[in-house]
Amino acid sequence: MQRRDFLKKAGLGAAAAAAATLVGAPKARAAKAEITWKMVTTWPPKLPYLQTGVERFAKRVEEMSGGRFKIRVYAAGELVPAMGAFEAVGNGTVEAGSGAAYYWAGKSQAAQWFAAVPFGLNPAGISSWLWGGNGLKLWEEVYAPFNLVPRPLGNTGVQMAGWFNRKIEKIEDFQGLKMRIPGLGGKVLAKAGVTVTLTPGGEIFTNLERGVIDATEWVGPLHDKLLGLHKVAKYYYYPGWHEPGTVLEAFFNKKAYEALPAEFKAIIDVACTETYTWMISGTDAENGAALLELIEKHKVQVLPLPGPVMDKLKVYSKEVLDEITAADPIAKKVHDDFSKFQKQIGTWATVADKACPRR
Amino acid sequence: MQRRDFLKKAGLGAAAAAAATLVGAPKARAAKAEITWKMVTTWPPKLPYLQTGVERFAKRVEEMSGGRFKIRVYAAGELVPAMGAFEAVGNGTVEAGSGAAYYWAGKSQAAQWFAAVPFGLNPAGISSWLWGGNGLKLWEEVYAPFNLVPRPLGNTGVQMAGWFNRKIEKIEDFQGLKMRIPGLGGKVLAKAGVTVTLTPGGEIFTNLERGVIDATEWVGPLHDKLLGLHKVAKYYYYPGWHEPGTVLEAFFNKKAYEALPAEFKAIIDVACTETYTWMISGTDAENGAALLELIEKHKVQVLPLPGPVMDKLKVYSKEVLDEITAADPIAKKVHDDFSKFQKQIGTWATVADKACPRR
């Protein structure tokens, strides 16, 4: 979805509160904090999983350190603007931040592979690249010049292709459509004749209702339902070819991270990974329930993008990625490793997960 | 695979050593341990991921506690026999253990759902049930009467259906086959006319080579290749319908766990989840590479079980699970929740992961 905008929609409070209780109340502790950090995010307050996940991470760090290491979390705009987080942490204004790596494409094109690229790896695949391949190592390399240490903090799963009021039966049906779709997905659809808009999250519903835009993507069934998109669009297309397993990140000021005692470094690293697993597990479960509700209760038509449409989008995606990697050697290095891994794991995914009769 | 037997095959040393270096050497610390636990496993020494994962978990606990909490890991047979781990931890002989929950079916039939059941959830699905659904809560309930607190510690991914020297083109082709396949998978294949054997891991290769058995399953491409099964069988079938995403476990003596300071409890919980994610990421990556090597270098024929065969196995699987749940109310309670979750997430998995063009 690329969430560089605030979600001002009501109705998020309850879900966020429910998510926040999953960890349980932290035990009251008398220990005085030895270290207190500030962590700035790119998310609106209470956004389920994205912002509540960061808060959960901070709580885990406090619990595991017995209250000796505290991280105070600030939503976007509370200390620095959403898109200022990367720089604020890099220059040491605050020690930690959270976002999605494709937000920083303007700093480094290579960053995008650590969040999501069109026709890239799904959540299981990208986790495997990050921890079982060279992914995290390359990510550290890409962020090092910005004085940042990155860690995967979450994954919101495969996205949906978006909400439409017109059927997409052939690639030409995209022609002339005004669609909200940011980032690389937008560049790909522009090649198919879409007029791409970057409507902020808080305005999507109204703009779609009033016909300012014809179509939009957002995140997945859970977050899309909270935004009420099923009330203003008829067709819900899948799969999210443009973001097949979006990774969310924590990043830490390199000097601050390296100055930590070894035990606090380990606590941060391990807590990030645990929040990652909690997030993909929780969003998968809630996306499943939300999708059924959209279909059964709200009678949304959930449709697959036809094979030939997907094939064409894949061709355009390759063009977009080729243009980027031709101009940027670091992006090319990351892309080459990512693609090699995608091939390494592709056959296995086909005979394993995809061949299993159902999840 | 059900690894209740020792793997005595050579050649595991290097892979285990490589896995062990992933965390890096722990920093030397002067801190005196406040708590020292023993952890007994059901695995042979150095078995990649299964045993090395337990060692990795213990190292993480030590790192995060600054050396104040140490867990000494013992492979199967070093302190207690593999299948004695559950009881040794329950009665407080040692504080912690590791295995796979289906090993304890003799204690509680319900335990099997927390490891793998035929036509059950894949790794992403079962993670989601455990942390985003009622899975872990139910698991705690099932283990409580045995004075144990369970935690998911790993996942070795979707298994393969097994190695055969005869093609499986229809369900009747199983008739009269002597196959090594333990647990519920064995019960299902027995209904198809298979003579089921429980050949220990260390004897599979020789027995298959000498024709004592006609077919076998083990774990997945990585572990199967280490065992050398491609040298004694022609056809490698998929998918692992009998174990579509096997969860490995840690379990702790309830009294010992509850007596821990809050910070050490949190450290244990978070370290288990982090090892889980490291394990599924690593095995997925290595299974991908191993499968390609089996196909490209060793010319193994990798074949899908035909749809009608899968359909029939599914019918038999339902019979086996129905028989168990009819006789055991706790197993029925767990099965009902598991099945409900499988439905909740099934549509989502179809439109998300399965619809994505490739991993």
Side-chain angles (χ1 to χ4, degrees), chain B:
Chain B
M1 67 170 188
Q2 292 227 351
R3 310 160 192 86
R4 66 183 65 192
D5 34 39
F6 290 179
L7 182 64
K8 286 176 188 131
K9 209 63 194 159
L12 293 181
T21 61
L22 289 179
V23 185
K27 295 281 178 301
R29 279 195 56 100
K32 202 169 161 286
E34 295 166 15
I35 297 179
T36 305
W37 274 12
K38 294 189 177 75
M39 185 159 186
V40 295
T41 82
T42 53
W43 321 118
K46 297 183 184 174
L47 185 61
Y49 291 105
L50 301 112
Q51 178 71 6
T52 63
V54 181
E55 284 157 8
R56 186 183 183 282
F57 156 74
K59 196 186 279 181
R60 282 303 209 191
V61 170
E62 185 170 341
E63 285 173 354
M64 289 197 286
S65 68
R68 292 177 298 133
F69 186 6
K70 289 189 179 168
I71 298 178
R72 178 102 197 258
V73 177
Y74 298 86
E78 290 182 357
L79 267 193
V80 297
M83 289 306 113
F86 193 83
E87 232 169 69
V89 179
N91 67 24
T93 304
V94 294
E95 295 85 0
S98 176
Y102 52 27
Y103 288 173
W104 324 117
K107 309 274 183 190
S108 168
Q109 289 289 333
Q112 299 172 97
W113 276 261
F114 308 112
V117 293
F119 293 88
L121 292 153
N122 77 358
I126 202 159
S127 305
S128 193
W129 180 58
L130 289 168
W131 288 293
N134 300 320
L136 183 50
K137 224 174 302 169
L138 287 166
W139 196 354
E140 287 175 342
E141 203 179 312
V142 168
Y143 274 26
F146 304 97
N147 303 315
L148 294 172
V149 175
R151 292 287 177 263
L153 184 68
N155 194 312
T156 47
V158 184
Q159 301 215 359
M160 294 289 284
W163 296 86
F164 296 80
N165 274 313
R166 155 204 302 186
K167 280 201 181 175
I168 303 293
E169 286 167 340
K170 49 192 192 307
I171 194 76
E172 290 76 16
D173 291 335
F174 281 114
Q175 196 76 42
L177 220 56
K178 263 182 292 176
M179 180 168 178
R180 187 266 179 202
I181 176 169
L184 296 176
K187 284 190 180 146
V188 172
L189 284 190
K191 286 184 185 266
V194 166
T195 302
V196 172
T197 80
L198 300 174
T199 319
E203 297 167 24
I204 293 177
F205 181 89
T206 316
N207 282 3
L208 192 54
E209 191 180 28
R210 295 189 185 159
V212 178
I213 54 175
D214 307 309
T216 189
E217 57 79 76
W218 182 232
V219 186
L222 167 68
H223 291 86
D224 292 7
K225 184 178 70 101
L226 290 172
L227 217 53
L229 296 177
H230 55 286
K231 295 175 196 156
V232 287
K234 268 203 285 203
Y235 308 116
Y236 196 20
Y237 273 93
Y238 68 89
W241 56 273
H242 60 307
E243 295 197 32
T246 313
V247 174
L248 309 182
E249 63 181 359
F251 44 83
F252 306 104
N253 178 275
K254 204 161 186 289
K255 220 169 123 185
Y257 178 87
E258 282 167 4
L260 286 177
E263 61 189 288
F264 289 172
K265 259 185 226 164
I267 280 178
I268 277 195
D269 290 356
V270 175
C272 281
T273 306
E274 192 237 7
T275 293
Y276 183 99
T277 302
W278 164 84
M279 198 184 297
I280 183 64
S281 302
T283 50
D284 257 350
E286 293 207 58
N287 276 328
L291 183 66
L292 289 186
E293 193 189 320
L294 287 171
I295 295 171
E296 289 165 9
K297 189 173 153 199
H298 301 294
K299 311 295 175 199
V300 169
Q301 288 195 53
V302 175
L303 301 169
L305 287 173
V309 171
M310 287 288 280
D311 290 345
K312 197 68 195 168
L313 291 175
K314 199 167 173 180
V315 170
Y316 292 145
S317 295
K318 190 176 176 309
E319 287 174 19
V320 167
L321 296 182
D322 283 351
E323 284 156 23
I324 292 170
T325 54
D328 186 325
I330 311 289
K332 181 163 176 13
K333 181 180 173 181
V334 173
H335 175 69
D336 287 351
D337 189 81
F338 186 98
S339 304
K340 197 181 147 199
F341 190 86
Q342 201 166 13
K343 268 184 209 126
Q344 172 185 321
I345 211 171
T347 308
W348 168 238
T350 305
V351 310
D353 279 353
K354 291 214 185 189
C356 269
R358 60 171 173 154
R359 201 181 239 190

Side-chain angles (χ1 to χ4, degrees), chain A residues 29 63 119 121-122 124 127-128 158 221 238-239 263 277 281 284-285 288 292 344 347-349 351 353-357 359, chain B residues 29 63 119-122 124 128 158 221 238-239 263 277 281 284-285 288 292 344 347-349 351 353-357 359:
Chain A
R29 280 196 57 101
E63 285 173 354
F119 292 87
L121 293 153
N122 78 357
S127 306
S128 193
V158 185
Y238 69 89
E263 62 188 287
T277 302
S281 302
D284 256 350
L292 288 186
Q344 172 184 325
T347 308
W348 169 239
V351 309
D353 280 354
K354 293 216 182 189
C356 268
R359 201 182 241 190
Chain B
R29 279 195 56 100
E63 285 173 354
F119 293 88
L121 292 153
N122 77 358
S128 193
V158 184
Y238 68 89
E263 61 189 288
T277 302
S281 302
D284 257 350
L292 289 186
Q344 172 185 321
T347 308
W348 168 238
V351 310
D353 279 353
K354 291 214 185 189
C356 269
R359 201 181 239 190

Side-chain angles (χ1 to χ4, degrees), chain A residues 309-328:
Chain A
V309 171
M310 288 288 281
D311 289 345
K312 197 70 195 168
L313 291 174
K314 199 166 172 181
V315 170
Y316 292 145
S317 296
K318 190 177 177 309
E319 286 175 18
V320 167
L321 297 182
D322 283 351
E323 284 155 23
I324 293 171
T325 53
D328 186 325

